[in-house]
């Protein structure tokens, strides 16, 4: 059983600059079958955007989605973990901050993302969340 975040995180996460339109981001998320991407400008982490953020803050807000910028719809990052932090510490941080994904930061650089689903698969592979998280995406 893995005990470190680095053992279960998604490494080399997809990221976009804040000025990229949400349609481009949504298509990339679809093509990569992922539910979240980072919003970064060079080495500065602006936030994290989920598929839900794109719908609720982007599409539902009205206007032209091709003109809406991902930097305007992303969620602020309120917490992060390091790759050598324990999976228990990551779970505790998610619980305390009420978040489902955490950037993994090492030496000031984002090196991965760990999700609630990653933790579920690791902690209790027989749970419903682990089963759903481990399945292939709906296409």
């Amino acid at each position: 059983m893995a005990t470190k975040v680095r053992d279960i995180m998604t490494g080399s996460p997809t990221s976009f600059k804040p000025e990229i339109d949400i349609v481009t981001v949504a298509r990339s998320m679809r093509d990569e079958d992922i539910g979240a991407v980072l919003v970064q400008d060079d080495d500065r982490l602006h936030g994290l955007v989920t598929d839900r953020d794109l719908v609720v803050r982007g599409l539902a807000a009205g206007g032209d989605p091709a003109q809406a910028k991902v930097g305007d719809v992303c969620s602020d990052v309120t917490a992060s973990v390091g790759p050598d932090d324990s999976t228990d510490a990551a779970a505790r941080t998610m619980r305390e901050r009420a978040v489902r994904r955490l950037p993994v930061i090492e030496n000031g650089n984002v090196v991965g993302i760990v999700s609630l689903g990653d933790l579920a698969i690791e902690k209790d592979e027989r749970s419903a969340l682990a089963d759903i998280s481990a399945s292939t995406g709906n296409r």
Side-chain angles (χ1 to χ4, degrees), residues 83-123:
D84 292 321
D85 288 347
S86 71
T87 54
D88 288 340
R92 189 170 41 254
T93 300
M94 286 182 184
R95 187 179 312 110
E96 291 168 355
R97 297 299 180 105
V99 296
R100 296 177 181 156
R101 295 170 183 89
L102 292 169
V104 182
I105 299 178
E106 183 174 46
N107 299 323
N109 298 312
V110 179
V111 296
I113 294 178
V114 64
S115 72
L116 182 61
D118 297 331
L119 290 171
I121 292 168
E122 178 59 31
K123 297 290 185 184

Side-chain angles (χ1 to χ4, degrees), residues 2-137:
T3 59
K4 302 271 186 205
V5 168
R6 80 169 60 253
D7 298 327
I8 64 168
M9 71 181 192
T10 299
S12 302
T14 300
S15 66
F16 288 92
K17 292 187 177 284
E19 64 271 7
I20 300 299
D21 65 273
I22 65 171
V23 173
T24 299
V25 174
R27 287 180 179 148
S28 176
M29 290 169 74
R30 176 201 60 202
D31 294 347
E32 295 181 46
D33 193 26
I34 55 177
V37 298
L38 298 171
V39 180
Q40 288 184 236
D41 196 4
D42 298 319
D43 292 334
R44 182 170 171 254
L45 179 61
H46 287 265
L48 186 138
V49 69
T50 66
D51 43 10
R52 186 174 195 284
D53 292 328
L54 293 177
V55 171
V56 173
R57 295 185 189 149
L59 295 175
D64 182 359
Q67 299 300 314
K69 306 302 178 204
V70 70
D72 295 331
V73 301
C74 67
S75 298
D76 292 335
V77 173
T78 61
S80 64
V81 291
D84 292 321
D85 288 347
S86 71
T87 54
D88 288 340
R92 189 170 41 254
T93 300
M94 286 182 184
R95 187 179 312 110
E96 291 168 355
R97 297 299 180 105
V99 296
R100 296 177 181 156
R101 295 170 183 89
L102 292 169
V104 182
I105 299 178
E106 183 174 46
N107 299 323
N109 298 312
V110 179
V111 296
I113 294 178
V114 64
S115 72
L116 182 61
D118 297 331
L119 290 171
I121 292 168
E122 178 59 31
K123 297 290 185 184
D124 184 2
E125 64 188 28
R126 296 174 306 177
S127 72
L129 179 57
D131 190 43
I132 293 164
S133 296
S135 71
T136 56

